[in-house]
Amino acid sequence: MHPNSQYIHADNTALIFDDLKFRSLTVKNRLFRSNISGQFDDYNGHGGNARLNWEEKFARGGIGCIISSFTPVSVRGRILVRYAMIDDDDKIPFWREIGRRVHAYDCRFIMQLSHSGRQQDMGGVENLFSKGLSSTCKSDYFHGLLAQAMTKPEIAQVVEQFAQGARRAREAGLDGVELHGANGYLLTQFLSSGINDRTDEYGGGWEGRARFVLEIVRAIRREVGHDFHLQMKINGVDHNDWLYPWIRKGNTLDETVKICTMLLDGGKGVDSFHVSSGSTFPHPRNPAGDLPLNDLHRWYDGMLSQGTRAPMNYAIFSNPLLARAFQALWRWRRGKVIEGINLDYARAVSEAIGKIDADIKVLCTGGFQHADRIAEAIRSKACDGVTMARPLIANNDLPEILAKANGPEKECTYCNKCLLNDLENPLGCYDLSRFDGTSFEDRYDKMIKQVMSVFEPPTFH
Ligand SMILES: Cc1cc2nc3c(=O)[nH]c(=O)nc-3n(C[C@H](O)[C@H](O)[C@H](O)COP(=O)(O)O)c2cc1C
Ligand code: SF4
């Protein structure tokens, strides 16, 4: 706990473990599992047993609400294969089972409706010969993933895919949906002034760029009504030029606040905002942490044939000197603060939205793993609740820990090894320094056992 803090742990837990009431959803505490993608499912997007085990882990650990991983609303919108999708009614039974499992722990479940757009890392064999749909024909600046600007019929089709995804989530008995409007995926590609270069009504100023998302919000409301929770993950600031200062900056905080106001749609639109930052994924600010060089070099090879810039990146990551220089740039652009990195953005959204409609809530993502920091974020009215990804990968029962102590004994180190392993290995904590043992082999065995725990219990006994 901060030595100068006037609050004791009991004050903090009173805030953190208080209900959070959205317009049509109540969550038992202020702790949300942020979206964490992992390749747990069938190649064709049918959910698998490992994902059921995975989600249940967090519900058991006391989290109030789980926000799902990136859930594609169509095959064309995949980022990687083996992610459960919501592109068809035949996926409803799987999501119903997910809901049933986590509800047993009085935990809510929100599905993240998503579309990759051009940011399709390895989109599967079905997408091999098509460019990623986007607002633009320009490839992404990082990997050079090719893009094709969407026609108006394609825009209308994707709007409908989001609406049907929301209807399926409701039919599955889930507690709400989140639009993935952050971190460089299709909705960011429309919203961001750093990416959207359209000259029709879906481009230009912030109102034009937000038109596509507003159409999605309205189509979802048409399908699910007004008593089903709808939230939006959004970048407070895009920082599109963060690595390469010569490219366009993207959205400012002021533009984001205006877009959020527009998406309220006069009280008929979204119920909550989930504030992040960074116009790509990953980005130095998201997940804010390190760039582990060994893992970077090992796992980026899968990207080699995906984008026009990928071979150049691979050459940089494979060269010890260039890789260190890139890592230094990454760390410098991330900055020193990790826990609460997006709080100023969340505060600006909270203040502006609160003046219009006090029922709209704000969640903030980025580094949270201490009770005093979380309580202070809520107490200072920067946000109403926090979302956590890596700290929960490291300590699945973090809510239970925070009820008793200010933070976990073995914290998440923000090393980002989980992120890079995720491209080919099961999701889990890969920071060996967090595992005790008598030898390297002993610690390594414990780490792998923890990673493999997601496959227990197995499908067949
Ligand atoms: C392995 C991994 C997978 C992620 N997958 C998603 C995702 O599917 N959708 C999303 O919006 N964010 C995703 N994120 C970002 C997190 O939800 C979160 O916003 C970010 O990591 C910052 O929170 P943290 O510091 O608590 O990890 C992912 C992060 C990690 C580390
Ligand atoms: S590998 Fe473990 S310690 Fe490192 S960022 Fe991921 S969860 Fe945290």
Side-chain angles (χ1 to χ4, degrees):
M1 201 135 4
H2 195 280
N4 298 330
S5 175
Q6 52 181 305
Y7 298 100
I8 58 169
H9 187 61
D11 298 329
N12 296 336
T13 51
L15 267 183
I16 294 172
F17 292 95
D18 188 22
D19 287 0
L20 179 53
K21 289 190 173 60
F22 297 93
R23 280 202 291 223
S24 50
L25 169 69
T26 300
V27 173
K28 70 179 173 189
N29 59 40
R30 307 302 178 99
L31 304 174
F32 290 66
R33 209 290 310 277
S34 196
N35 329 80
I36 318 177
S37 291
Q39 301 191 65
F40 289 136
D41 307 292
D42 290 345
Y43 191 99
N44 67 356
H46 279 278
N49 183 54
R51 184 173 298 274
L52 293 170
N53 294 341
W54 171 255
E55 301 296 27
E56 199 172 343
K57 271 187 186 205
F58 303 103
R60 197 184 302 123
I63 203 81
C65 179
I66 292 174
I67 319 176
S68 81
S69 70
F70 184 107
T71 311
V73 294
S74 73
V75 173
R76 192 95 188 258
R78 306 212 287 174
I79 40 176
L80 291 168
V81 295
R82 302 202 297 276
Y83 279 21
M85 298 204 288
I86 192 70
D87 61 321
D88 197 287
D89 284 7
D90 65 0
K91 310 293 188 311
I92 294 175
F94 171 75
W95 291 105
R96 188 171 290 131
E97 178 61 14
I98 286 262
R100 197 186 65 75
R101 293 272 188 111
V102 306
H103 287 162
Y105 299 88
D106 192 21
C107 173
R108 305 293 112 211
F109 195 92
I110 294 173
M111 174 183 282
Q112 184 179 52
L113 299 175
S114 314
H115 194 297
S116 60
R118 68 180 184 180
Q119 198 164 279
Q120 190 174 67
D121 300 317
M122 290 174 227
V125 69
E126 315 88 335
N127 292 318
L128 212 52
F129 302 108
S130 51
K131 293 180 183 173
L133 294 172
S134 186
S135 62
T136 175
C137 287
K138 291 207 189 98
S139 54
D140 94 286
Y141 73 79
F142 193 65
H143 312 289
L145 301 169
L146 300 179
Q148 172 189 320
M150 286 161 74
T151 60
K152 288 186 190 166
E154 282 169 336
I155 288 178
Q157 188 185 29
V158 173
V159 167
E160 200 48 32
Q161 287 166 349
F162 273 94
Q164 293 310 316
R167 172 187 60 77
R168 292 177 189 123
R170 181 160 203 170
E171 280 179 33
L174 303 182
D175 302 291
V177 287
E178 171 177 281
L179 294 178
H180 194 351
N183 312 136
Y185 299 104
L186 182 64
L187 304 196
T188 310
Q189 291 160 37
F190 272 81
L191 291 175
S192 176
S193 59
I195 302 173
N196 185 335
D197 57 1
R198 301 179 77 95
T199 51
D200 63 6
E201 65 268 39
Y202 292 95
W206 62 269
E207 282 161 299
R209 300 196 308 272
R211 183 185 302 274
F212 175 49
V213 183
L214 186 63
E215 286 180 5
I216 292 175
V217 168
R218 289 180 174 164
I220 288 178
R221 285 295 183 212
R222 182 201 71 217
E223 283 299 316
V224 301
H226 291 273
D227 59 348
F228 187 61
H229 181 74
L230 168 59
Q231 66 181 39
M232 165 91 179
K233 194 169 188 184
I234 193 163
N235 291 334
V237 179
D238 278 346
H239 297 299
N240 194 50
D241 60 338
W242 224 223
L243 285 176
Y244 307 119
W246 53 89
I247 63 176
R248 289 194 287 171
K249 285 182 188 315
N251 289 357
T252 60
L253 187 54
D254 185 46
E255 284 175 298
T256 298
V257 167
K258 286 180 181 148
I259 291 169
C260 290
T261 308
M262 181 173 171
L263 295 179
L264 296 180
D265 202 18
K268 295 185 291 217
V270 305
D271 298 309
S272 167
F273 294 98
H274 178 185
V275 179
S276 180
S277 59
S279 66
T280 56
F281 191 78
H283 184 280
R285 295 182 58 93
N286 183 59
D290 210 356
L291 207 57
L293 293 185
N294 284 346
D295 297 81
L296 186 60
H297 174 213
R298 257 164 74 213
W299 302 127
Y300 196 76
D301 58 355
M303 291 293 298
L304 267 175
S305 57
Q306 302 295 315
T308 53
R309 294 174 60 97
M312 186 186 74
N313 291 343
Y314 187 70
I316 294 174
F317 301 152
S318 312
N319 177 304
L321 279 179
L322 291 175
R324 285 224 166 271
F326 191 81
Q327 185 190 47
L329 172 68
W330 192 270
R331 288 176 177 169
W332 174 59
R333 297 277 51 187
R334 178 199 70 210
K336 290 206 169 74
V337 175
I338 293 183
E339 187 158 6
I341 188 169
N342 295 310
L343 268 179
D344 287 344
Y345 308 149
R347 191 186 314 281
V349 173
S350 285
E351 277 173 8
I353 298 299
K355 285 183 197 145
I356 301 169
D357 187 340
D359 287 340
I360 306 296
K361 306 293 184 215
V362 173
L363 305 174
C364 184
T365 193
F368 292 103
Q369 57 179 338
H370 292 99
D372 55 355
R373 303 297 299 269
I374 297 169
E376 185 48 31
I378 300 167
R379 192 177 287 125
S380 70
K381 300 198 184 317
C383 60
D384 301 283
V386 301
T387 76
M388 307 182 287
R390 294 164 301 167
L392 279 166
I393 299 178
N395 293 288
N396 300 162
D397 57 349
L398 187 56
E400 285 175 359
I401 295 173
L402 296 181
K404 297 182 207 129
N406 193 44
E409 209 177 296
K410 288 203 179 290
E411 298 184 351
C412 165
T413 60
Y414 309 116
C415 70
N416 275 335
K417 291 182 180 166
C418 50
L419 179 75
L420 291 172
N421 274 279
D422 187 32
L423 282 174
E424 292 180 21
N425 292 331
L427 198 48
C429 181
Y430 286 85
D431 187 354
L432 200 56
S433 74
R434 294 190 59 259
F435 295 86
D436 292 327
T438 48
S439 61
F440 172 86
E441 286 75 18
D442 187 22
R443 284 161 50 222
Y444 197 82
D445 281 353
K446 285 189 177 132
M447 184 181 88
I448 295 301
K449 202 165 172 222
Q450 167 268 147
V451 168
M452 296 300 175
S453 67
V454 73
F455 300 106
E456 301 294 335
T459 318
F460 298 108
H461 291 275

